[in-house]
Amino acid sequence: MNDELTSLTDRLRTEAGGSPLFGRLLATEDDEELAGVLVADRQPLWAREIAAFRLGCLGDRRAFEALVLLLNHRDPERCGSAAHALLLLGDPRTPRAAAALAANTLRTAYALHPVRLLTALRAPESVPALVGTLHRLLVPGEPHWNVALACVEGLGTLGDGRARPVLKAALPHPRLGRAAAEALGRLPAG
């Protein structure tokens, strides 16, 4: 078992409450059984999460929709597991979905993992989405500085010159300035 699956298993064990389905979903090698959980009525969230995570890590695109929903969940651990599986899934729809979640002003509190996923994906959508999200979060009194910081760090990692204006705008921010300076240092000269 890899570290991510071990973490997911430990987290969901209590939620599953001793259900025999819990062990079966972790043990099965049958992709069809896992996929069936995603479409069956009245399945608990924990069961859908296990099935989607396992399918996503195997590259089975039937997990995509469930993983995107979990990426947008209010529980950060669910978001983290979904981001991990989406990265391994390799579905071409993932960058657009992550960009939409990062840019959703009504869900900013839950945008940390979509922002980090965009950085890891290094897709054409990544820089524009991170620039737009960071720009929106630079207003005074914005409470989601952790998401803004993830944008700054992501833009530094991506090293794209299009980020220069928004990173310069982040320099005076007390919680972002140092990271913005480091990110600017990673951009190509220009």
Side-chain angles (χ1 to χ4, degrees), residues 49-124:
E49 183 177 357
I50 292 170
F53 180 86
R54 291 203 56 215
L55 287 170
C57 290
L58 293 171
D60 190 320
R61 291 188 178 170
R62 292 177 289 183
F64 177 76
E65 288 83 4
L67 289 171
V68 170
L69 289 172
L70 291 165
L71 182 64
N72 193 33
H73 199 275
R74 66 181 170 269
D75 178 357
E77 291 178 324
R78 280 202 159 98
C79 297
S81 292
H84 176 81
L86 280 164
L87 187 61
L88 294 177
L89 179 60
D91 191 296
R93 299 170 291 177
T94 300
R96 191 171 6 167
L101 293 175
N104 185 336
T105 58
L106 300 176
R107 304 291 291 174
T108 303
Y110 312 115
L112 183 62
H113 288 284
V115 164
R116 289 180 176 161
L117 179 58
L118 281 167
T119 301
L121 290 169
R122 295 182 169 271

Side-chain angles (χ1 to χ4, degrees), residues 114-155:
V115 164
R116 289 180 176 161
L117 179 58
L118 281 167
T119 301
L121 290 169
R122 295 182 169 271
E125 295 88 345
S126 297
V127 171
L130 296 181
V131 165
T133 301
L134 178 57
H135 179 74
R136 178 173 52 81
L137 296 176
L138 290 178
V139 298
E142 170 58 52
H144 304 295
W145 64 269
N146 61 331
V147 176
L149 180 60
C151 289
V152 168
E153 292 169 347
L155 289 168

Side-chain angles (χ1 to χ4, degrees), residues 3 12 14 20 29-30 33 35 92-93 96 117 123 144 160 184 188:
D3 291 343
L12 297 180
T14 303
E29 297 299 324
D30 183 356
E33 181 179 2
R93 299 170 291 177
R96 191 171 6 167
L117 179 58
H144 304 295
D160 189 304
L184 281 164

